Amino acid sequence: MPTSDPRQRILELRDELNRHNHNYYVLNSPEISDREFDSLIKELAELEEKYPDMSDELSPTRRVGSDLTDGFEQIAHIYPMLSLSNTYSIEEVDEWFARVRSGLGGEKFEITGEMKYDGTSISLIYEHGKLIRAVTRGDGEKGDIVTENVKTIKSIPLKLQGSGWPDLFEIRGEILMPWEAFERLNKEREFNEEPLFANPRNAASGTLKMLNSREVAKRGLDAYFYYLLGPELPYDNHFDNMMAAREWGFKVSEIMTLLTSIEKVDEFISHWDSARRELPVATDGLVFKVNNLRQQLNLGYTAKSPRWAIAYKFPAEKALTRLRYVSFEVGRMGIITPVANLEPVLLSGTIVKRASLHNEDIIKTLGIHENDLLYVEKGGEIIPKITGVDENGRDADAEPIKFVTRCPACGTPLVRVEGEASWLCPNKFGCPPQIAGRVEHFVGRKMMNIDGIGEETSQQLFASGIVRNIADLYDLTKEKLLTLEGFGQKSADRVLEGLEASRNIPYDRVIYALSIPFVGDTVAKKVAKAFPDIDSLMNATAEELASVKDIGPRIAESIVEYFGNPINREIVARLRNAGLQFSGTDAGESLSDVLAGKTFVISGTFAHHSRDEYKRLIELHGGKNVSSISKKTDYVFAGENMGPAKLEKATNLGIPIIDENTFLEMIGEKN
Ligand code: IVH
């Protein structure tokens, strides 16, 4: 029976929720459903709100994060965070083993074998069973205090269980982004046109350093612990200390094993070399440590690393798989990319089915034939790359892969890009994937930022004949949009609102949005600064363009060619009639993309700038203004006298409300 004393109930709920978190995130064996868990959290949150005297920094309700936007404070490590020396073969590990044996003067010793988790290291300090600080490795001597972010990682105990923990100790481990969370995050970033993380390690360390712990909480980080430090540890050996830490609630890998001979060490290596592929997180090797703490002390340290431990790094992963066929894909600039479609194969934890072959020269150099057996490797463990062919696996009658001579989408004969290995479909205005690709680029977040149109809608708009070029977007009406499958009143309104808002997107981003070959966002800014309105840009000669710093002859020619085409001139004229920004000297000023992808609702009056100036600043830093608060709003930027209805709505939806100073800090204007 739950107690009827609310204060007592708060304590009871906290204990219960801590236990459920541990069951779920550490033991992987939940006892209650997510729904039941949520309802307990809700009950606790409501009670805590009613009884503020019961507030506790370490309550399970605090794991959702907050929105502090300050940088991180630094602190010196109690014990420096050293690294491990690396080895790359069983022989080198055997040599280390022999050095340990002689270092210990023939004494008996045991070794622990552990996974080398590939994330970012963390040091946690616990006092009286409570987490008081989390610090990154930093430079090994001092690191950043990231306690608020670490508190959002549900597998990390905020309060310890059981007993026997020292009053003060440090525990070190690795913060990881599991493969699944990593893939989800990159998909989302791809959709938002944000740069992808190359591997889970970068994703984990990037996430840990985010200023907004609410964002961190959403990213699904996890942590394994492998090292206990302090003046009074419960046992005289590493293994037992780690087992004790597991009892206190830490996630200590089940893989950790006591190894008593060099044969066992070698077996451990052979086993995990391949078995690690089944693990849910990235690993880059194994770690071997002398188990006994007194023996560790005797062996001591070199300048950089302990003599009592060594890392064995796995060789780069390679797989052999069969080529099913080569597809030829057409990008928005008309470049044809050959892609190897493979029999699915597991590589570093993910299934690989496709790998870009980049261009014709690579196919020829590798000598790829139909149905060949190919070697696939992962660069940085993420992007699969074809590195070779196993000619023994080739069919006797296999033909070499031939590059297409006509565009696979529209049938136009391809032309070779001068001085390059690429082939191009010259049918710019008639080739469907090129047109749909340009529409998709135009509406993207970093370009015109038009919500409600993505890859699929771009293709749908093209296929239905409603949008044949980017200027047609501004002729869209609600009636036209409603004819599209999957479109309703709301989604149509969203597109129309997005189009309306895009009329304020600055000139340089409009130039970038046009899809002029070789003109990316940086070049667009430079061009916009040098030619502050579209007429001067359209009439510029290649020489004039090439005289701008960082603009070479190839970019200059490409711009001249683009504006020399009457179809493009007409598109620009129509966009201009639609009211887009085709002049402005702001471009290239203090623009940044610190607010890229963030939507703001601004309300009230301000001290340092007018509301309109703030709206401009939001856009100059890559953000977007919307008029009404919804679940999608990232921030409510509130001045004096903000309307009570807005305030209430923002609070109910849990949208962070920021003030003028916080905003200025975000864009780096506050000194
Ligand atoms: S022990 C003094 N054990 O590898 C020894 N480190 O190059 C302290 N790592 O910074 C480290 N898994 O981030 C240890 N089972 C493991 C590990 C591990 C991953 C990382 C850790 C450390 C780096 C050393």
Side-chain angles (χ1 to χ4, degrees), residues 315-581:
E317 257 201 75
K318 235 187 207 183
L320 199 58
T321 189
R322 192 127 339 244
L323 174 68
R324 293 173 54 222
Y325 60 93
V326 175
S327 55
F328 294 87
E329 299 179 6
V330 193
R332 82 187 145 97
M333 298 301 190
I335 303 281
I336 312 293
T337 306
V339 176
N341 291 263
L342 308 163
E343 292 295 344
V345 63
L346 189 69
L347 192 57
S348 313
T350 50
I351 296 193
V352 179
K353 291 186 222 155
R354 286 159 54 86
S356 173
L357 290 164
H358 304 286
N359 57 47
E360 185 178 22
D361 289 3
I362 291 184
I363 298 181
K364 284 194 175 146
T365 313
L366 290 169
I368 302 177
H369 286 54
E370 294 164 345
N371 209 31
D372 259 354
L373 262 182
L374 302 179
Y375 285 104
V376 205
E377 270 182 38
K378 273 196 186 174
E381 303 231 6
I382 290 309
I383 298 160
K385 190 177 165 195
I386 306 290
T387 54
V389 178
D390 179 358
E391 286 174 21
N392 297 325
R394 179 169 296 159
D395 305 339
D397 55 352
E399 293 283 330
I401 295 293
K402 280 198 201 72
F403 209 88
V404 282
T405 54
R406 286 174 177 275
C407 174
C410 69
T412 306
L414 301 180
V415 292
R416 186 99 186 196
V417 180
E418 217 177 293
E420 287 197 23
S422 324
W423 288 95
L424 180 92
C425 166
N427 183 18
K428 285 194 177 61
F429 302 103
C431 179
Q434 290 189 55
I435 301 168
R438 286 197 297 268
V439 172
E440 201 190 321
H441 171 78
F442 185 82
V443 301
R445 288 243 180 181
K446 295 226 164 114
M447 286 64 74
M448 304 308 282
N449 195 15
I450 299 167
D451 260 358
I453 306 182
E455 182 179 350
E456 210 179 311
T457 314
S458 302
Q459 282 166 10
Q460 219 182 348
L461 284 167
F462 175 80
S464 65
I466 299 178
V467 171
R468 290 280 159 173
N469 63 51
I470 51 179
D472 291 344
L473 286 167
Y474 291 89
D475 292 339
L476 283 174
T477 57
K478 201 158 186 180
E479 291 69 46
K480 286 188 195 169
L481 284 165
L482 289 176
T483 63
L484 295 176
E485 205 185 302
F487 260 80
Q489 299 285 343
K490 260 198 174 158
S491 40
D493 280 342
R494 212 165 122 217
V495 169
L496 294 175
E497 224 184 79
L499 285 163
E500 183 53 42
S502 76
R503 294 187 160 95
N504 295 322
I505 296 282
Y507 172 48
D508 67 309
R509 274 171 66 180
V510 178
I511 296 177
Y512 177 35
L514 294 175
S515 285
I516 306 171
F518 306 116
V519 179
D521 54 349
T522 320
V523 170
K525 277 185 191 145
K526 293 197 166 134
V527 166
K529 202 167 182 187
F531 301 90
D533 64 69
I534 193 78
D535 291 312
S536 62
L537 178 61
M538 287 206 291
N539 296 324
T541 63
E543 291 73 40
E544 284 164 345
L545 280 157
S547 69
V548 177
K549 190 168 172 277
D550 296 331
I551 301 218
R554 190 162 76 163
I555 299 175
E557 290 291 346
S558 171
I559 295 174
V560 170
E561 193 184 322
Y562 181 89
F563 289 115
N565 189 313
I567 302 181
N568 288 332
R569 279 184 173 260
E570 195 203 316
I571 290 175
V572 170
R574 286 178 60 204
L575 292 175
R576 196 186 231 182
N577 277 339
L580 301 204
Q581 301 295 320

Side-chain angles (χ1 to χ4, degrees), residues 621-635:
H621 289 279
K624 185 173 168 183
N625 293 291
V626 290
S627 51
S628 59
I629 301 174
S630 74
K631 271 194 307 206
K632 293 232 161 79
T633 310
D634 290 294
Y635 296 99

Side-chain angles (χ1 to χ4, degrees), residues 108-139:
K108 265 186 135 178
F109 61 97
E110 287 173 332
I111 299 289
T112 60
E114 303 170 23
M115 224 60 218
K116 188 168 188 309
Y117 290 105
D118 196 12
T120 181
S121 39
I122 193 76
S123 148
L124 306 182
I125 310 289
Y126 284 79
E127 223 176 271
H128 306 298
K130 290 181 182 172
L131 172 68
I132 60 159
R133 195 161 64 235
V135 188
T136 64
R137 180 172 188 278
D139 60 5

Side-chain angles (χ1 to χ4, degrees), residues 99-174:
R99 281 200 301 279
V100 168
R101 171 173 293 151
S102 76
L104 292 174
E107 223 181 337
K108 265 186 135 178
F109 61 97
E110 287 173 332
I111 299 289
T112 60
E114 303 170 23
M115 224 60 218
K116 188 168 188 309
Y117 290 105
D118 196 12
T120 181
S121 39
I122 193 76
S123 148
L124 306 182
I125 310 289
Y126 284 79
E127 223 176 271
H128 306 298
K130 290 181 182 172
L131 172 68
I132 60 159
R133 195 161 64 235
V135 188
T136 64
R137 180 172 188 278
D139 60 5
E141 295 291 332
K142 55 183 184 321
D144 288 326
I145 302 180
V146 289
T147 320
E148 289 310 309
N149 285 349
V150 163
K151 271 163 61 181
T152 68
I153 303 172
K154 311 275 199 329
S155 62
I156 293 182
L158 306 182
K159 287 183 183 169
L160 301 183
Q161 309 177 347
S163 58
W165 17 269
D167 275 350
L168 177 68
F169 69 89
E170 175 174 351
I171 190 161
R172 291 187 186 165
E174 202 80 353

Side-chain angles (χ1 to χ4, degrees), residues 82-84 86 114-118 120-121 137 173-174 226-227 287 289 301 306 308-309:
L82 301 175
S83 55
L84 297 168
N86 289 326
E114 303 170 23
M115 224 60 218
K116 188 168 188 309
Y117 290 105
D118 196 12
T120 181
S121 39
R137 180 172 188 278
E174 202 80 353
Y226 46 66
Y227 193 21
V287 180
K289 297 173 187 164
Y301 295 81
W308 48 264

